[in-house]
């Protein structure tokens, strides 16, 4: 697993928590921040996956 995949997963989880807290407290800003964190995390996980795939492909 590439480090970007791990960092992305952490950011995605953080975003999910922010969204949940924002919804529970009716804080639209926190919900929006959580959504942005989730999106960034998913992108970062994807980039990490591509990097890992390239690394594996270059080994063979």
């Amino acid at each position: 697993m590439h480090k970007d995949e791990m960092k992305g997963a952490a950011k995605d989880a953080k975003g999910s928590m922010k969204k949940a807290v924002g919804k529970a407290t009716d804080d639209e800003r926190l919900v929006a921040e959580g959504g942005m964190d989730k999106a960034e995390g998913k992108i970062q996980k994807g980039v990490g996956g591509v990097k890992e795939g390239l690394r594996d492909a270059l080994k063979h």
Side-chain angles (χ1 to χ4, degrees):
M1 179 176 272
H2 193 271
K3 65 181 178 181
D4 282 331
E5 288 177 289
M6 290 184 284
K7 288 180 180 179
K11 191 174 280 192
D12 188 12
K14 177 182 164 186
S16 292
M17 288 189 298
K18 273 187 177 180
K19 272 184 93 169
V21 170
K23 286 181 180 181
T25 60
D26 203 31
D27 185 339
E28 291 180 22
R29 181 176 177 208
L30 198 55
V31 172
E33 285 178 15
M36 288 187 293
D37 285 348
K38 280 186 66 64
E40 288 176 22
K42 288 183 186 295
I43 291 168
Q44 191 170 12
K45 281 194 298 189
V47 168
V50 169
K51 287 180 180 179
E52 185 70 21
L54 287 173
R55 183 184 302 156
D56 288 344
L58 293 174
K59 285 182 182 178
H60 299 289

